[in-house]
């Protein structure tokens, strides 16, 4: 009986726990994203492109990958999917405010409301469903190697594809 009680009182290993540490990680993530957005702003002027339109979504992707690792350590597949959905919902306003393949507020709404999230979330989402929903989580090294590949090669390649796609559909207006 005491062994059974002991098992229920110990925290689960490798699970995302809502603790002071997790709260500090959330606050640090928010502070970094807001800090990057204020240091490298995206200008709303349609004829003024800025480095912020690339740096801010990339910073969001780095934050998404950090939290994906934390989420992938959660034992329940259903909980991982729920938490990833919350992660996308929480970062979506940041993407809408600070991301733009072409810094042009005159773009048709479909490009802004569909194009930017599709651009930012496609690679992390496909990778999440392909790699992070397995029964056995990847070790830290495998996750870091795959994440670096995705952040440094897959996302830039996807960015080029998205730019060509938006150009093909004439989803932006050049001044």
């Amino acid at each position: 009986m005491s062994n059974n009680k002991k098992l229920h009182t110990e925290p689960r290993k490798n699970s995302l726990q809502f603790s002071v540490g997790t709260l500090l990680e959330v606050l640090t993530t928010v502070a970094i994203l807001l800090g990057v957005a204020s240091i490298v702003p995206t200008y709303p002027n349609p004829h003024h492109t800025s480095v912020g339109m690339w740096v801010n979504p990339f910073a969001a992707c780095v934050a998404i990958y950090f939290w994906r690792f934390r989420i992938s350590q959660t034992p329940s597949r259903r909980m991982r999917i729920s938490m990833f959905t919350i992660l996308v919902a929480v970062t979506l306003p940041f993407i809408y405010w600070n991301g733009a393949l072409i810094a042009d507020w005159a773009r048709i709404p479909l490009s802004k409301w569909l194009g930017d999230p599709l651009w930012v979330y496609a690679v992390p989402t496909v990778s999440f469903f392909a790699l992070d929903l397995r029964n056995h989580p990847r070790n830290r090294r495998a996750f870091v190697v795959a994440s670096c590949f995705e952040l440094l090669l897959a996302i830039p390649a996807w960015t080029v594809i998205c730019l060509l796609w938006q150009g093909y559909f004439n989803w932006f207006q050049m001044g």
Side-chain angles (χ1 to χ4, degrees), residues 94-156:
F94 181 82
I95 298 302
Y96 281 147
W97 187 259
N98 294 300
L101 288 172
I102 300 294
D104 185 353
W105 288 93
R107 294 184 294 164
I108 64 172
L110 185 61
S111 176
K112 182 64 181 170
W113 304 119
L114 178 63
D116 288 351
L118 183 63
W119 166 49
V120 172
Y121 294 121
V123 173
T125 301
V126 168
S127 175
F128 173 78
F129 280 101
L131 301 173
D132 294 343
L133 291 181
R134 294 192 251 168
N135 289 336
H136 303 291
R138 295 181 286 167
N139 64 31
R140 185 173 296 185
R141 183 176 180 190
F143 189 89
V144 168
V145 169
S147 296
C148 286
F149 171 79
E150 292 172 22
L151 285 167
L152 301 175
L153 295 173
I155 290 176

Side-chain angles (χ1 to χ4, degrees), residues 20-35 63 66-67:
V20 173
T22 304
L23 181 60
L24 288 174
E25 289 172 340
V26 168
L27 293 175
T28 302
T29 303
V30 169
I32 289 171
L33 288 177
L34 293 177
F66 169 77
W67 285 103

